[in-house]
Amino acid sequence: MKKTIKNKKLKKSSRDWLQRQINDPFVIQAHKEGYRSRAAFKILEIQEKFKIINKDSLVIDLGAAPGGWSQVISKICKRIIAIDLLDIDPIPNVDFIKGDFLEETNIEKIKFLLKNQEADVIMSDMAPNTCGIKKVDHLRIINLMEEVFTFSKIVLKPGGNLIFKTFQGGANSRLFSDINKSFNKINYFKPNSSRKESPEQYVIALGYK
């Protein structure tokens, strides 16, 4: 039976969000299985379909908080380096850095933790803060994707893989032309665990050149 939020002190937008959360089957299942967020199911679907992470993989999780993706992948791979502006609770097999992933000091920390190796996989479930102004939000989406791509060129090994979130209609031809030239194969994937009304999809870039 569908649950309803009746607290009239909340704004309608807040009530609608809470109601969607408590009735979302993936939120309910995440709680049952001990996952930190419903986003765990997205990376599980990506991994099941593309098999891009294995037991020997060195993985970097950009924008990791609250740690849903790292929590799942830490049980599969050799080691994860997670970074976010927000803290996350400790996860076994995960080294966490608090800060901006493009700041030089944090890039050096990542390189140190990689121990002179390069990453096998970079994954990002980040989305920019939106303001509701279409042109501004569009630029923010493109900027974030460019930052993730720029970072991948610094620490991703040849043959490595990159996963990042985009939005339908949220990219530009120049950026995706550069990404296509840099990887052997590009896939676009919308997991079943993504909300139907959400324009999000994931770019699965395989075989970094």
Side-chain angles (χ1 to χ4, degrees):
M1 182 181 293
K2 187 175 182 180
K3 297 180 182 179
T4 303
I5 300 294
K6 297 180 180 180
N7 189 339
K8 299 297 183 182
K9 294 181 180 180
L10 294 173
K11 292 181 180 179
K12 184 179 183 303
S13 58
S14 297
R15 287 202 309 272
D16 289 346
W17 183 86
L18 284 170
Q19 187 163 314
R20 184 178 66 178
Q21 285 294 101
I22 64 172
N23 290 292
D24 187 315
F26 288 102
V27 172
I28 295 167
Q29 192 64 25
H31 285 305
K32 285 182 179 178
E33 298 191 26
Y35 292 136
R36 298 187 178 193
S37 69
R38 71 189 304 281
F41 295 106
K42 299 175 186 178
I43 192 62
L44 281 169
E45 287 186 67
I46 291 169
Q47 172 64 9
E48 182 178 355
K49 184 173 179 64
F50 298 99
K51 306 289 191 300
I52 60 177
I53 297 167
N54 60 50
K55 63 181 179 63
D56 296 318
S57 296
L58 288 172
V59 179
I60 298 176
D61 186 3
L62 302 178
W69 280 27
S70 284
Q71 181 187 23
V72 169
I73 298 304
S74 67
K75 298 173 183 178
I76 301 171
C77 72
K78 182 178 180 180
R79 189 156 157 256
I80 295 175
I81 300 168
I83 183 165
D84 200 293
L85 294 171
L86 303 175
D87 285 311
I88 66 172
D89 292 332
I91 303 171
N93 202 33
V94 177
D95 292 304
F96 177 68
I97 298 169
K98 184 175 181 180
D100 186 329
F101 67 90
L102 276 182
E103 284 187 3
E104 188 61 36
T105 54
N106 291 324
I107 290 173
E108 291 306 312
K109 288 178 184 178
I110 289 169
K111 288 180 177 179
F112 176 78
L113 290 171
L114 285 170
K115 298 178 180 178
N116 296 319
Q117 299 181 70
E118 292 173 300
D120 297 288
V121 179
I122 296 172
M123 58 185 191
S124 167
D125 192 31
M126 291 187 294
N129 294 322
T130 56
C131 65
I133 301 172
K134 193 171 182 179
K135 288 184 178 180
V136 175
D137 289 341
H138 176 78
L139 290 173
R140 288 178 178 177
I141 291 166
I142 292 172
N143 183 63
L144 182 57
M145 287 189 292
E146 287 180 333
E147 289 179 343
V148 171
F149 181 48
T150 296
F151 178 82
S152 73
K153 291 187 283 187
I154 299 171
V155 297
L156 187 62
K157 71 187 296 185
N161 303 315
L162 172 64
I163 308 165
F164 65 94
K165 180 186 288 185
T166 184
F167 294 88
Q168 296 166 15
N172 66 5
S173 57
R174 180 195 57 77
L175 173 60
F176 271 85
S177 175
D178 290 344
I179 294 172
N180 270 285
K181 291 175 183 176
S182 299
F183 289 86
N184 289 322
K185 187 174 182 181
I186 305 293
N187 300 278
Y188 299 90
F189 180 63
K190 184 176 175 68
N192 291 325
S193 47
S194 288
R195 291 191 172 100
K196 290 181 180 179
E197 69 273 16
S198 172
E200 76 174 7
Q201 61 181 346
Y202 291 86
V203 177
I204 318 296
L206 306 175
Y208 181 55
K209 299 176 184 179

